[in-house]
C-alpha cells in the first residue's frame, strides 16, 4: 500500500531510476545543461546527481599537459579515459541502486555510437531507463564564448595564457570531430533522446517514455543563455511585519512605502530595457510595485506561504496556542505543514511554474515574500531542503542574480536599513517538551 | 519616477487588488492569471488528410480555453473567409489564439497566411502532422471520416478506398515544412502520432505551453474514471469544505466502488486522491496502491470553510450574492475561486493526458473543473455541472470528443448541488438566496 503523505512527485516519477546521458563535442554546453538540470530536478524534489567524467579524469591524472592526451591514437590516454568513465558509471550504479538516487546525469562527450551502446547496456542490466541529451552547435561565436566563460578558468589551464588555452582547446575538440556520430533519426530511432540544436533554436525529441522525461524535455526547451538579470526582493515592510505577526494581507508601513520609492529609484538607475515586474496578489507586494510606475503582472502562485490556523499570529501566540505544532516546525521546517495551511515543500510545487517562466524570461523583478523568496533563491543558488527555510531574505534588500559560467552571481543591495527583522533562526531545543522560553529564544524583536 | 502612493482597492468579486487611480499605464482588469501574451497567435495545421489535424485542433482549442486563453477553431475551405474570421475574432472578440484547421499543404498557401499575419501583427505557429503508417491512417479514416455525410450510403471498404484516393490527390502538391527553407518559421512537426517531434523557434510562453501539451497527448485507447469521495460527515450536515471522514453511507460507497472497479477489470489502473481524509478513506477501500495529489484538494472556501449556506447567508450575505453573480470568478475571502482551481489543476490534466487508465477520487468543485476540461464546458457552465455523490463518470475518448457513462452506485447520499437562484442581487431577501439550498440535517 502507498505510504500516506507521500507526494506525487516521488511516486509518479519512480519505478526505474533514470540515467541521463549527455552527447556532444567539447564546448557544446553539456556540463552547463547537466548542472542546471540537476539543480532543477533536485529543487522539485527528484534526487539527482551529476557525474562529470572530465572531473574523474582530472582527479585521476592530477596534471593536464595538453590536447595530446585526447588524440584518438593515444592508447595510454584512451585507457585512462575508459577507466574514468567506468569509475563514473560505477558511482552511478551505487547512487541509483543503493543510495536512493532517482536520476543520474552522466556528463561526457559520448560521441560514438559504440560508447553509447556500452552505456545503454550498462543501464539495461541495472534496470535504469536511459535518456540522451545531445547538444549540437556549429556557431563559432557560441563556442568561443563557451571556451572563454568556462574553459579558461578550468584547472586544466591554470598555467596557460588565454591564447595558449584557446588554441589547445580547439585542438582538443578536433580530436573528437572525426569519430563523432550524432544521434541519427534512423539508426537511433529506438532510443529516447532530445537533440538540442544551436542553443535551443531547434529540438528533435524522440520517444519520450515517461513523466520525468517529459518534464526534462519541457525544462530543456525553456532555458536559454541570453545574458540577463533576475531581481528578487520582498514587499516593503508591512503593518503586520511591525507587529511581529505572520501572514495576513496588510498594507505597507510608512517605512515600507519609503522602500518602495527607493526601489523605484534603484530600478530606474539599473537602466534595464524591457524589465518585467511580477508581484503576488497580496496588497503589500502590489503597493510596492505601484511605486515603480511600470506595468506589472500579479501572480497568485507568488502569494506568501499559507500559515493556515496560524495566519496573523505572533510567534508568541503560536507557542501559546499550538506549542506542539511550533516544535514540529522547528524539527523539520521544510516539510512541516501548518494546520489548514502549507509547507515549504508545498510552496516549491506551487512555485514551479514561476521558475519555468523565469527561465523563459530575460530581465525580471520579482516582488514577493519571505518564504517565497527563500524557495526561489534556493533554486538559483542550489540550496538543499534543509538550508532553504533558513536562507536570509531581509526586508528592503534586493538580490540581483546574474547567471555566470555554471552558476549564479549574487549581489545583495540593501536599499534601506530601516526595517524590522523577520528572520527566526532554528532554536537549540526543538523538542516538544521544551519550555516556552526555549521555543521563543530566537524570535526577532517587534512591537 | 513618481513616488506615487498606492491606494488600492480589492475588487469584491475576485479579491484582486487594483489601483484606485486611473493609471496612464493601460492595464487589463485584474485577472487571477498573468497573461503572458502580447500579440494574438495563429496556430496553423499542416498535413495530408487523415493525419489527425482536426483531432489536434479540437483538443488544443479545448485545452487552451480551459486554461483561460480564449481560443477558437477556424474552419473554412476558403482561405479568405478563414482569415477574415481570424481578424474578426482577434480584433472584435478579444480572441487570443485562432487554430486554423486545414491541410495547408502547399508553401504558397502558407505564404498567404504568413503575409496576412505579418500585416496584422499576429504570431504564427505551425503544427504539422506527418504519418506514413498505413494502419494508423486506416484507423483514422474509419473513426472519423466514414461517419461524414460524404460517405453516408457507402460500404466501409469502398469508403476507405475512396478516401485514400482523395489523399493521393493532396500528396501530389504536398510540400512539408522544410528544415532549411522554413528555418525561420516557428513550428512543431509531429511524426507518427508522437513518437518523434521536431520543434523549431518557439517564440514565447504560449507556444512553449502548446508544444508541451502536444508532446504529452496520445491516442492510445483508455478510460478515465472521475468520482467524488464517499458521502462525508460534513456533507450530511450541509457544511462546505473541511476535512471530515466518511459517513457510514460514504463507507458503503467506498466498498461499492471497489467492487465496481474490480469488475471493470482494468490492467494497470492508476488511482489518485487528494490529501483530504475523505478521498483517502475512499481509496483505502479499493485495496490498491494510490497516489495523493495536494492539487486535487477541494476548493478553499476561506472564511466560509465548514459553514452551511444558511450561515454564509447570515454572516456574509454580500459575498453570497457576488458568488451567485459570477460563480466562476468569485473568490472566497482568504480562499479560492473556480478560476484559481483550474490553474491549480492544470498539472493534473497534463498528467491525465500522459496516463492511460486512471481513477480520480476527488471533490465536487474539482470534479466540475476536470469534467469541464474533458467535455469542453464553458466557464459559465462549469460551476453548475452536476457531480452528485456516489456516482462514477467513465470518460472514454472517441473520435473528436469524449463518451461519458454515468453510473450511480446505488448507495443513497445527500444532494450537495446548489443551483443558481433567480435573484442574485446583493439586496435580495435571505429566502431568495437560500431557495436552492439542498436539504441537510
Amino acid at each position: 500500500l502507498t505510504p500516506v503523505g507521500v507526494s506525487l512527485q516521488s511516486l509518479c516519477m519512480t519505478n526505474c531510476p533514470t540515467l541521463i546521458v549527455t552527447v556532444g563535442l567539447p564546448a557544446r554546453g553539456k556540463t552547463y545543461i547537466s548542472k542546471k538540470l540537476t539543480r532543477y530536478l533536485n529543487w522539485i524534489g527528484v534526487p539527482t546527481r551529476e557525474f562529470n567524467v572530465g572531473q574523474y579524469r582530472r582527479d585521476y591524472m592530477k596534471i593536464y599537459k595538453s590536447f595530446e592526451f585526447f588524440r584518438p591514437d593515444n592508447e595510454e590516454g584512451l585507457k585512462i579515459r575508459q577507466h574514468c568513465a567506468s569509475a563514473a558509471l560505477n558511482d552511478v550504479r551505487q547512487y541509483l541502486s543503493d543510495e536512493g538516487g532517482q536520476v543520474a546525469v552522466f556528463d561526457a562527450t559520448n560521441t560514438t555510437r559504440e560508447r553509447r551502446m556500452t552505456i545503454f547496456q550498462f543501464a539495461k542490466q541495472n534496470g535504469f531507463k536511459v535518456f540522451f541529451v545531445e547538444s549540437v552547435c556549429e556557431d563559432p561565436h557560441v563556442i568561443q564564448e563557451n571556451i572563454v566563460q568556462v574553459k579558461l578558468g578550468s584547472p586544466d589551464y591554470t598555467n596557460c595564457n588565454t591564447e595558449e588555452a584557446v588554441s589547445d582547446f580547439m585542438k582538443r575538440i578536433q580530436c573528437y570531430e572525426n569519430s563523432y556520430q550524432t544521434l541519427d533519426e534512423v539508426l537511433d530511432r529506438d532510443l529516447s533522446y532530445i537533440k538540442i540544436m544551436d542553443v535551443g533554436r531547434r529540438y528533435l525529441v524522440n520517444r519520450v517514455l515517461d513523466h520525468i522525461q517529459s518534464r526534462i524535455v519541457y525544462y530543456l526547451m525553456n532555458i536559454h543563455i541570453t545574458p540577463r538579470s533576475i531581481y528578487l526582493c520582498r514587499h516593503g515592510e508591512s503593518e503586520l511585519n511591525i507587529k511581529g505577526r505572520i501572514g495576513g494581507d496588510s498594507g505597507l508601513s510608512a517605512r515600507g512605502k519609503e522602500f518602495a520609492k527607493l526601489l523605484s529609484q534603484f530600478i530606474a538607475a539599473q537602466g534595464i530595457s524591457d524589465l518585467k515586474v511580477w508581484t503576488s496578489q497580496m496588497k503589500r507586494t502590489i503597493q510596492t510595485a505601484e511605486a515603480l510606475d511600470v506595468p506589472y503582472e500579479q501572480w497568485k502562485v507568488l502569494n506568501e506561504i499559507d500559515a493556515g490556523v496560524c495566519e496573523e499570529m505572533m510567534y508568541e501566540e503560536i507557542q501559546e496556542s499550538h506549542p506542539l505544532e511550533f516544535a514540529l516546525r522547528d524539527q523539520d521546517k521544510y516539510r512541516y505543514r501548518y494546520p489548514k495551511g502549507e509547507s515549504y515543500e508545498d510552496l516549491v510545487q506551487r512555485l514551479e511554474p514561476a521558475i519555468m517562466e523565469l527561465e523563459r524570461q530575460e530581465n525580471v523583478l520579482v516582488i514577493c515574500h519571505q518564504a517565497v523568496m527563500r524557495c526561489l533563491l534556493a533554486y538559483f543558488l542550489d540550496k538543499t531542503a534543509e538550508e532553504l527555510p533558513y536562507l536570509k531574505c531581509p526586508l528592503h534588500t534586493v538580490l540581483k542574480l546574474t547567471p555566470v559560467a555554471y552558476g549564479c552571481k549574487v549581489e545583495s543591495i540593501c536599499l534601506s536599513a530601516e526595517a524590522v527583522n523577520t528572520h527566526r533562526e532554528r532554536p537549540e531545543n526543538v523538542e516538544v517538551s521544551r519550555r516556552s522560553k526555549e521555543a521563543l529564544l530566537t524570535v526577532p524583536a517587534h512591537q | 519616477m513618481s513616488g506615487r502612493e498606492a491606494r488600492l482597492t480589492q475588487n469584491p468579486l475576485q479579491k484582486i487588488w487594483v489601483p484606485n487611480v486611473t493609471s496612464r499605464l493601460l492595464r487589463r482588469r485584474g485577472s487571477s492569471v498573468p497573461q503572458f501574451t502580447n500579440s494574438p497567435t495563429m496556430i496553423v495545421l499542416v498535413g495530408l488528410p487523415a493525419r489527425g489535424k482536426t483531432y489536434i485542433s479540437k483538443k488544443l482549442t479545448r485545452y487552451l480555453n480551459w486554461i483561460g486563453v480564449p481560443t477558437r477553431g477556424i474552419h473554412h475551405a476558403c482561405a479568405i473567409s478563414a482569415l477574415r474570421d481570424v481578424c474578426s475574432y482577434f480584433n472584435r472578440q478579444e480572441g487570443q489564439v485562432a487554430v486554423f484547421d486545414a491541410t495547408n499543404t502547399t508553401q504558397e498557401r502558407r505564404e498567404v497566411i504568413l503575409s496576412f499575419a505579418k500585416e496584422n501583427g499576429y504570431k504564427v505557429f505551425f503544427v504539422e502532422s506527418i504519418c506514413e503508417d498505413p494502419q494508423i491512417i486506416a484507423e483514422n479514416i474509419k473513426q472519423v471520416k466514414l461517419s461524414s455525410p460524404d460517405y453516408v450510403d457507402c460500404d466501409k471498404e469502398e469508403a476507405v478506398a475512396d478516401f485514400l484516393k482523395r489523399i493521393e490527390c493532396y500528396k501530389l502538391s504536398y510540400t512539408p515544412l522544410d528544415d532549411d527553407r522554413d528555418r525561420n518559421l516557428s513550428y512543431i512537426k509531429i511524426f507518427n502520432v508522437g513518437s518523434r517531434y521536431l520543434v523549431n523557434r518557439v517564440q514565447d510562453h504560449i507556444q512553449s505551453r502548446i508544444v508541451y501539451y502536444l508532446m504529452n497527448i496520445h491516442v492510445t485507447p483508455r478510460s478515465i474514471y472521475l468520482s467524488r469521495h464517499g458521502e462525508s460527515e460534513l456533507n450530511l450536515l450541509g457544511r462546505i469544505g473541511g476535512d471530515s471522514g466518511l459517513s457510514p453511507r460514504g463507507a458503503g460507497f467506498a466498498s461499492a466502488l471497489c467492487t465496481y472497479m474490480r469488475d471493470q477489470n482494468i490492467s494497470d489502473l492508476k488511482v489518485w486522491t487528494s490529501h483530504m481524509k475523505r478521498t483517502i478513506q475512499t481509496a483505502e477501500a479499493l485495496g490498491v496502491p494510490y497516489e495523493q495529489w495536494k492539487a486535487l484538494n477541494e476548493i478553499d472556501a476561506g472564511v466560509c470553510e465548514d459553514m452551511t449556506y444558511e450561515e454564509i447567508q447570515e454572516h456574509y450575505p454580500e459575498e453570497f450574492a457576488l458568488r451567485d453573480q459570477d460563480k466562476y470568478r468569485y473568490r472566497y475571502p482568504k480562499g479560492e475561486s473556480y478560476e484559481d482551481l483550474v490553474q491549480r489543476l492544470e498539472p493534473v490534466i497534463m498528467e491525465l493526458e500522459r496516463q492511460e487508465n486512471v481513477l480520480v477520487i476527488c471533490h465536487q468543485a474539482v470534479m466540475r473543473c476536470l469534467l469541464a476540461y474533458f467535455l469542453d464546458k464553458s466557464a459559465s457552465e462549469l460551476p453548475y455541472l452536476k457531480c452528485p455523490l456516489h456516482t462514477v463518470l467513465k470518460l472514454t475518448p472517441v473520435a473528436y470528443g469524449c463518451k461519458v457513462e454515468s453510473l450511480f452506485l446505488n448507495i443513497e447520499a445527500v444532494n450537495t448541488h446548489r443551483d443558481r437562484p433567480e435573484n442574485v442581487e446583493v439586496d435580495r431577501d435571505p429566502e431568495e438566496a437560500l431557495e436552492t439550498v439542498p436539504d441537510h440535517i
Side-chain angles (χ1 to χ4, degrees):
Chain A
L1 277 185
T2 315
V4 166
V6 178
S7 78
L8 171 84
Q9 296 309 109
S10 46
L11 282 169
C12 230
M13 302 189 200
T14 59
N15 335 38
C16 321
T18 304
L19 177 61
I20 299 182
V21 181
T22 65
V23 179
L25 294 172
R28 264 54 176 183
K30 298 183 299 300
T31 301
Y32 175 82
I33 289 169
S34 300
K35 285 180 182 288
K36 217 170 149 68
L37 190 53
T38 300
R39 177 162 57 89
Y40 168 71
L41 290 172
N42 277 312
W43 186 76
I44 61 171
V46 180
T48 306
R49 190 181 293 176
E50 35 133 9
F51 298 83
N52 179 291
V53 175
Q55 194 51 47
Y56 280 75
R57 188 258 308 158
R58 270 184 286 275
D59 291 343
Y60 187 83
M61 296 286 294
K62 308 293 182 221
I63 297 178
Y64 172 77
K65 290 215 201 84
S66 81
F67 77 94
E68 308 267 355
F69 177 81
F70 291 98
R71 287 177 54 151
D73 55 0
N74 181 346
E75 283 204 20
E76 172 80 19
L78 282 170
K79 254 206 330 228
I80 294 170
R81 289 155 71 194
Q82 170 77 339
H83 167 89
C84 289
S86 300
L89 283 178
N90 208 27
D91 286 351
V92 163
R93 181 201 350 251
Q94 195 173 318
Y95 178 65
L96 294 180
S97 301
D98 304 335
E99 290 174 28
Q102 197 45 50
V103 177
V105 184
F106 185 65
D107 176 17
T109 48
N110 299 315
T111 38
T112 63
R113 190 156 286 116
E114 187 194 340
R115 164 114 299 236
R116 296 194 290 265
M117 257 316 114
T118 313
I119 299 169
F120 189 80
Q121 304 300 356
F122 158 85
K124 259 202 125 152
Q125 274 160 28
N126 287 284
F128 308 149
K129 288 183 179 173
V130 183
F131 189 74
F132 293 95
V133 177
E134 179 172 20
S135 174
V136 175
C137 180
E138 287 317 314
D139 183 336
H141 296 292
V142 174
I143 296 166
Q144 179 76 6
E145 185 57 30
N146 210 323
I147 296 176
V148 164
Q149 276 231 8
V150 295
K151 303 299 181 188
L152 298 187
S154 144
D156 292 347
Y157 295 113
T158 26
N159 296 321
C160 294
N161 70 38
T162 308
E163 264 120 56
E164 284 166 2
V166 173
S167 160
D168 182 89
F169 199 83
M170 296 303 268
K171 293 203 194 90
R172 203 152 112 177
I173 298 177
Q174 270 165 26
C175 295
Y176 289 88
E177 268 167 353
N178 284 339
S179 60
Y180 182 20
Q181 292 166 306
T182 184
L183 286 169
D184 183 80
E185 273 177 37
V186 176
L187 294 174
D188 299 307
R189 65 183 170 282
D190 290 331
L191 299 181
S192 298
Y193 65 84
I194 179 172
K195 186 189 279 201
I196 304 169
M197 294 167 268
D198 294 320
V199 205
R201 190 153 299 165
R202 183 144 83 198
Y203 305 91
L204 188 64
V205 180
N206 200 62
R207 291 198 188 276
V208 170
L209 291 179
D210 61 15
H211 179 97
I212 191 67
Q213 291 181 15
S214 166
R215 293 287 286 274
I216 288 165
V217 164
Y218 185 44
Y219 182 71
L220 293 177
M221 288 176 55
N222 280 319
I223 61 180
H224 68 78
I225 56 169
T226 310
R228 50 82 170 254
S229 288
I230 294 168
Y231 299 80
L232 300 181
C233 76
R234 291 166 67 187
H235 52 82
E237 183 192 67
S238 74
E239 298 290 355
L240 285 180
N241 284 146
I242 298 180
K243 301 196 178 113
R245 294 183 174 283
I246 65 173
D249 193 15
S250 59
L252 299 179
S253 67
R255 299 194 299 196
K257 290 176 183 165
E258 201 40 53
F259 163 73
K261 291 194 190 127
L262 292 173
L263 182 64
S264 173
Q265 288 162 17
F266 170 74
I267 290 298
Q270 289 284 300
I272 311 139
S273 64
D274 204 32
L275 175 74
K276 298 285 194 315
V277 178
W278 298 352
T279 69
S280 69
Q281 287 193 339
M282 295 177 142
K283 191 173 178 183
R284 50 202 188 276
T285 56
I286 296 166
Q287 272 184 311
T288 308
E290 278 287 320
L292 303 179
D293 209 21
V294 295
Y296 57 90
E297 295 276 358
Q298 294 185 22
W299 214 353
K300 190 171 194 272
V301 301
L302 291 174
N303 279 6
E304 182 57 314
I305 192 172
D306 183 356
V309 300
C310 298
E311 276 284 318
E312 289 180 67
M313 284 187 167
M314 295 187 284
Y315 288 122
E316 293 85 343
E317 289 169 350
I318 300 176
Q319 168 59 23
E320 196 185 322
S321 54
H322 300 85
L324 172 62
E325 294 293 329
F326 203 38
L328 287 173
R329 184 158 207 253
D330 284 335
Q331 287 174 21
D332 189 347
K333 197 176 175 190
Y334 184 73
R335 278 165 210 85
Y336 170 82
R337 188 184 280 168
Y338 282 104
K340 304 196 178 178
E342 294 177 300
S343 62
Y344 271 94
E345 194 171 25
D346 294 329
L347 202 48
V348 161
Q349 293 315 312
R350 175 157 57 86
L351 286 168
E352 200 264 351
I355 285 296
M356 196 63 85
E357 191 57 25
L358 276 171
E359 285 296 345
R360 290 199 55 79
Q361 292 286 346
E362 292 184 17
N363 295 310
V364 187
L365 164 65
V366 184
I367 305 172
C368 55
H369 305 266
Q370 182 167 248
V372 169
M373 188 162 159
R374 283 170 171 156
C375 292
L376 299 178
L377 195 57
Y379 166 76
F380 288 109
L381 302 186
D382 203 17
K383 298 295 182 185
T384 63
E386 285 65 47
E387 297 169 295
L388 186 162
Y390 295 101
L391 293 175
K392 284 210 167 68
C393 295
L395 287 164
H396 300 185
T397 303
V398 180
L399 292 184
K400 178 178 178 178
L401 305 167
T402 310
V404 72
Y406 295 138
C408 232
K409 179 174 87 171
V410 194
E411 294 165 68
S412 171
I413 306 114
C414 176
L415 290 186
S416 122
E418 303 291 311
V420 79
N421 171 28
T422 58
H423 185 94
R424 176 178 169 270
E425 290 289 358
R426 189 181 196 263
E428 269 214 50
N429 191 345
V430 300
E431 296 310 314
V432 170
S433 57
R434 66 190 177 176
R435 301 209 305 277
S436 286
K437 250 197 288 244
E438 294 175 290
L440 299 172
L441 208 55
T442 55
V443 172
H446 59 86
Q447 260 175 16
Chain B
M1 280 295 132
S2 85
R4 185 184 72 199
E5 253 210 18
R7 226 167 291 267
L8 301 177
T9 47
Q10 199 176 39
N11 84 6
L13 181 76
Q14 293 170 297
K15 313 299 187 292
I16 305 232
W17 291 103
V18 285
N20 233 346
V21 288
T22 38
S23 172
R24 63 180 172 78
L25 306 161
L26 185 57
R27 170 179 325 300
R28 54 179 171 71
R29 259 178 43 246
S31 153
S32 93
V33 181
Q35 307 292 304
F36 291 115
T37 56
N38 16 14
S39 339
T41 304
M42 284 180 64
I43 303 196
V44 180
L45 274 295
V46 180
L48 294 171
R51 263 55 176 183
K53 295 185 301 302
T54 302
Y55 176 80
I56 290 170
S57 300
K58 286 183 185 279
K59 219 169 148 70
L60 190 53
T61 302
R62 177 162 58 89
Y63 169 70
L64 290 172
N65 277 312
W66 187 76
I67 62 170
V69 179
T71 304
R72 183 181 295 180
I74 308 286
H75 309 278
H76 264 294
C78 168
I80 302 184
S81 307
L83 296 182
R84 198 184 50 216
D85 279 359
V86 169
C87 248
S88 158
Y89 182 56
F90 286 158
N91 298 339
R92 286 190 287 282
Q93 298 170 297
E94 298 195 354
Q96 213 27 66
V97 176
V99 182
F100 187 23
D101 175 21
T103 52
N104 297 314
T105 38
T106 62
Q107 208 197 336
E108 185 189 47
R109 160 62 58 100
R110 299 194 289 263
E111 271 308 313
V112 167
I113 297 169
L114 283 166
S115 308
F116 162 82
K118 198 160 183 212
E119 268 168 46
N120 289 281
Y122 306 151
K123 290 182 177 172
V124 180
F125 188 74
F126 293 95
V127 177
E128 181 170 24
S129 175
I130 294 171
C131 182
E132 285 316 317
D133 183 333
Q135 270 185 328
I136 298 178
I137 296 167
E139 183 56 34
N140 216 326
I141 295 175
K142 289 198 186 114
Q143 273 228 12
V144 295
K145 303 295 182 189
L146 298 192
S147 52
S148 119
D150 293 348
Y151 294 111
V152 133
D153 292 315
C154 281
D155 158 63
K156 228 190 242 180
E157 297 309 320
E158 272 175 27
V160 173
D162 182 84
F163 200 86
L164 286 172
K165 285 201 204 103
R166 258 208 236 184
I167 297 177
E168 288 303 312
C169 294
Y170 280 94
K171 271 191 188 170
L172 298 173
S173 58
Y174 178 29
T175 320
L177 289 168
D178 183 79
D179 289 350
D180 191 48
R181 200 191 48 228
D182 296 314
R183 65 186 171 284
N184 288 325
L185 301 183
S186 297
Y187 62 84
I188 179 171
K189 275 196 201 195
I190 305 171
F191 296 91
N192 295 326
V193 205
S195 74
R196 187 161 88 243
Y197 305 91
L198 183 67
V199 180
N200 199 62
R201 287 193 189 266
V202 169
Q203 292 172 50
D204 61 14
H205 175 95
I206 193 70
Q207 291 180 17
S208 167
R209 293 287 286 278
I210 288 165
V211 164
Y212 185 43
Y213 181 72
L214 292 176
M215 288 176 52
N216 281 318
I217 62 182
H218 67 78
V219 294
T220 310
R222 50 79 173 253
S223 287
I224 294 169
Y225 299 81
L226 300 182
S227 161
R228 290 167 68 188
H229 51 83
E231 182 191 69
S232 74
E233 298 290 355
L234 285 181
N235 285 147
L236 279 175
L237 299 171
R239 294 184 174 283
I240 64 172
D243 195 14
S244 58
L246 299 180
S247 69
R249 298 194 299 197
F253 165 74
S255 299
L257 183 62
C258 178
T259 310
Y260 170 72
M261 293 311 299
R262 277 218 195 100
D263 291 343
Q264 290 286 300
N265 210 4
I266 307 141
S267 62
D268 203 32
L269 174 76
K270 299 285 195 320
V271 178
W272 298 353
T273 69
S274 69
H275 274 207
M276 295 178 143
K277 192 173 175 185
R278 50 200 188 277
T279 58
I280 296 168
Q281 276 183 317
T282 309
E284 278 287 324
L286 303 179
V288 296
Y290 58 90
E291 299 171 14
Q292 299 181 26
W293 289 77
K294 188 168 192 279
L296 286 173
N297 278 6
E298 183 55 316
I299 192 172
D300 184 356
V303 299
C304 298
E305 278 285 316
D306 288 293
M307 284 186 167
T308 60
Y309 289 120
E310 292 85 349
E311 288 167 355
I312 299 175
Q313 167 58 28
E314 193 187 323
H315 295 114
Y316 302 98
E318 185 181 332
E319 294 291 329
F320 203 38
L322 285 172
R323 185 160 208 253
D324 284 335
Q325 287 174 23
D326 190 344
K327 196 176 177 190
Y328 184 72
R329 277 165 211 84
Y330 171 81
R331 190 185 276 169
Y332 282 104
K334 301 194 179 180
E336 294 177 303
S337 61
Y338 272 93
E339 195 172 23
D340 295 328
L341 203 47
V342 161
Q343 292 315 309
R344 180 163 42 94
L345 286 168
E346 200 264 351
V348 176
I349 286 296
M350 196 63 86
E351 190 55 23
L352 275 172
E353 286 294 346
R354 289 201 54 78
Q355 292 286 346
E356 294 186 16
N357 295 308
V358 186
L359 163 64
V360 184
I361 304 172
C362 55
H363 305 267
Q364 183 167 246
V366 170
M367 188 162 158
R368 285 170 170 156
C369 292
L370 298 177
L371 195 58
Y373 167 74
F374 288 109
L375 302 186
D376 202 17
K377 299 296 181 185
S378 65
S380 32
E381 296 171 291
L382 186 162
Y384 295 101
L385 292 176
K386 284 211 165 71
C387 296
L389 287 165
H390 299 186
T391 305
V392 181
L393 291 184
K394 178 178 178 180
L395 305 167
T396 310
V398 70
Y400 296 137
C402 232
K403 178 173 85 167
V404 194
E405 294 164 68
S406 169
L407 191 68
F408 170 62
L409 292 191
N410 228 358
I411 310 242
E412 289 305 306
V414 80
N415 172 28
T416 59
H417 186 95
R418 177 177 167 270
D419 270 315
R420 191 180 194 262
E422 270 215 49
N423 192 344
V424 299
E425 298 306 317
V426 169
D427 58 3
R428 65 192 177 177
D429 294 325
E431 296 87 60
E432 293 177 291
L434 298 172
E435 214 167 38
T436 55
V437 171
D439 295 324
H440 58 88
I441 297 176

